[in-house]
Amino acid sequence: MLNKRKKEIGGFHKYLIPLLLCGVFLFFCGVRAQAQELPSISAQSAALLVADTGEFLFEKNAQQQRGMASTTKIMTSLLAVEESDPNRVITATEAMVRVEGTSIGLQAGDKITLRNLIYGMLLESGNDAANALAVHVAGSIEAFTALMNKEAKRLGCVDTNFV
């Protein structure tokens, strides 16, 4: 009986040290994780969330309203790809190329694929490319803006308003 008891204790001790070491390791990892400072973000606002749950992992002024900036171009790309063939050739009009800010250098009469307009808009921040896509998809900038707002609401972006 004593031999059997000794084997049981010996078997338990075989696992005791690794278990204790794992416990100590996990404890100090937890303490370290709590002691870490939040990341330093230079942006005025930022948010990192889990897409499946909507849980915020990090936020900085996440509820403060800001200008749309490149989000507008992302939505424009999304709608352009959904509404038209990326290989479709578009002829630029005067209304499409009349913009302020950055440009890919489109001129009225230029022929360019929808795909290349998207590249020019996203990679070069071409406002003329964005206008050309908007007019091609919806007929006018105003009609395209309404389409963008409708899509934003459909996607659940309830505080989003394109103008």
Side-chain angles (χ1 to χ4, degrees):
M1 181 80 164
L2 187 57
N3 253 352
K4 185 178 180 188
R5 175 90 173 135
K6 195 173 180 182
K7 280 185 180 181
E8 286 175 11
I9 292 173
F12 173 75
H13 280 93
K14 180 169 72 174
Y15 296 107
L16 184 61
I17 300 229
L19 284 172
L20 287 173
L21 287 175
C22 284
V24 169
F25 176 77
L26 291 173
F27 173 78
F28 282 112
C29 284
V31 169
R32 182 175 174 201
Q34 290 175 0
Q36 286 181 340
E37 292 182 28
L38 293 175
S40 174
I41 306 285
S42 63
Q44 292 178 352
S45 296
L48 175 64
L49 59 103
V50 179
D52 293 338
T53 65
E55 173 193 3
F56 279 89
L57 300 176
F58 171 82
E59 66 178 286
K60 175 183 175 186
N61 300 323
Q63 300 304 320
Q64 190 170 357
Q65 289 187 348
R66 299 266 177 218
M68 296 301 284
S70 295
T71 308
T72 304
K73 291 180 175 142
I74 293 168
M75 179 64 87
T76 301
S77 299
L78 174 70
L79 289 173
V81 169
E82 288 178 350
E83 299 289 328
S84 192
D85 173 15
N87 296 315
R88 179 176 224 155
V89 175
I90 297 165
T91 302
T93 65
E94 188 62 40
M96 292 176 177
V97 300
R98 206 173 332 138
V99 295
E100 293 180 19
T102 56
S103 165
I104 63 170
L106 275 181
Q107 296 181 6
D110 287 350
K111 294 185 183 317
I112 186 168
T113 63
L114 185 123
R115 177 188 322 274
N116 286 335
L117 284 172
I118 291 172
Y119 290 157
M121 179 183 60
L122 293 177
L123 300 177
E124 300 295 325
S125 198
N127 293 336
D128 51 353
N131 274 7
L133 289 165
V135 171
H136 168 72
V137 169
S140 71
I141 302 297
E142 295 76 20
F144 189 76
T145 302
L147 187 61
M148 290 171 66
N149 285 319
K150 182 179 176 185
E151 180 68 4
K153 298 300 180 259
R154 187 188 73 76
L155 293 172
C157 304
V158 295
D159 292 328
T160 300
N161 184 46
F162 294 99
V163 292

